[in-house]
Amino acid sequence: GVKRCLVCLDEDLDPQHSQLADRHDVVYELRYSQLVDILNGVTDDENDRISDAGNETISKTLAEAIDNKIAMKNGKRSTLGKDNLANWFQQYALLQEVTKAAFKRVSGEVTVAHTTGAIAEFSVTSFYEVGLDLGLIDGKDDMVYYSDSSDIKAGIDR
């Protein structure tokens, strides 16, 4: 199978996330806090620093943007007579977006490919728009847009 890296929330954020994670074909494992440090320019080795250590601007901006998106989605859910998104949405949306942005920072590129073209409006996956809006992920160069056979037959070009 395809070898992969597993990123889990730190135990203080979710004690069971790592314990319950699927480790099939995992060759490397990281914690969320390690990727936040990478995104913010902090490394363990002073000679291998990505940028100025301690710059929390990127992760704070990302967290604020996700909070704003949650508020917008909750407002829409309210008009639909639905409950607010669960409290855990913020942490998992952050995990998703920090992971993509940190890997892009380290490697210079990242490929984001969703397994469906129909991303549910109120899913954690839908928060990918935050990374696009902030310019952390480039919609043209970093995204591989899903197309099913009906898109291909209809000649839809994304």
Side-chain angles (χ1 to χ4, degrees):
V2 174
K3 303 300 180 208
R4 58 195 183 105
C5 176
L6 174 66
V7 180
C8 291
L9 290 170
D10 296 70
E11 287 76 17
D12 62 318
L13 299 173
D14 184 342
Q16 293 188 322
H17 192 241
S18 177
Q19 293 172 6
L20 299 175
D22 174 11
R23 287 184 169 72
H24 181 73
D25 286 331
V26 169
V27 294
Y28 200 76
E29 186 169 330
L30 293 166
R31 294 286 176 251
Y32 169 76
S33 61
Q34 291 173 293
L35 294 182
V36 169
D37 285 348
I38 288 169
L39 191 59
N40 291 332
V42 178
T43 66
D44 291 335
D45 180 358
E46 184 104 5
N47 298 319
D48 194 27
R49 185 165 291 155
I50 293 173
S51 69
D52 294 331
N55 178 6
E56 296 178 357
T57 304
I58 298 171
S59 63
K60 283 184 179 182
T61 300
L62 189 52
E64 289 169 3
I66 286 174
D67 286 345
N68 290 337
K69 183 70 86 171
I70 288 172
M72 183 196 74
K73 287 178 182 282
N74 282 340
K76 185 162 186 182
R77 290 178 65 85
S78 177
T79 64
L80 297 172
K82 296 183 176 188
D83 291 337
N84 284 345
L85 295 172
N87 290 334
W88 52 261
F89 262 77
Q90 185 214 35
Q91 195 59 59
Y92 284 89
L94 275 168
L95 174 64
Q96 172 181 277
E97 295 311 303
V98 164
T99 298
K100 290 184 283 191
F103 277 117
K104 183 173 180 176
R105 181 167 198 165
V106 168
S107 68
E109 59 185 35
V110 68
T111 301
V112 179
H114 294 130
T115 58
T116 181
I119 295 172
E121 179 179 12
F122 301 115
S123 67
V124 171
T125 301
S126 72
F127 284 82
Y128 82 94
E129 297 168 340
V130 173
L132 289 173
D133 292 344
L134 293 177
L136 298 172
I137 301 299
D138 184 282
K140 182 179 178 205
D141 294 332
D142 300 329
M143 298 288 298
V144 175
Y145 292 95
Y146 179 87
S147 63
D148 64 21
S149 60
S150 62
D151 286 347
I152 294 167
K153 288 177 187 171
I156 296 172
D157 182 23
R158 297 181 191 206

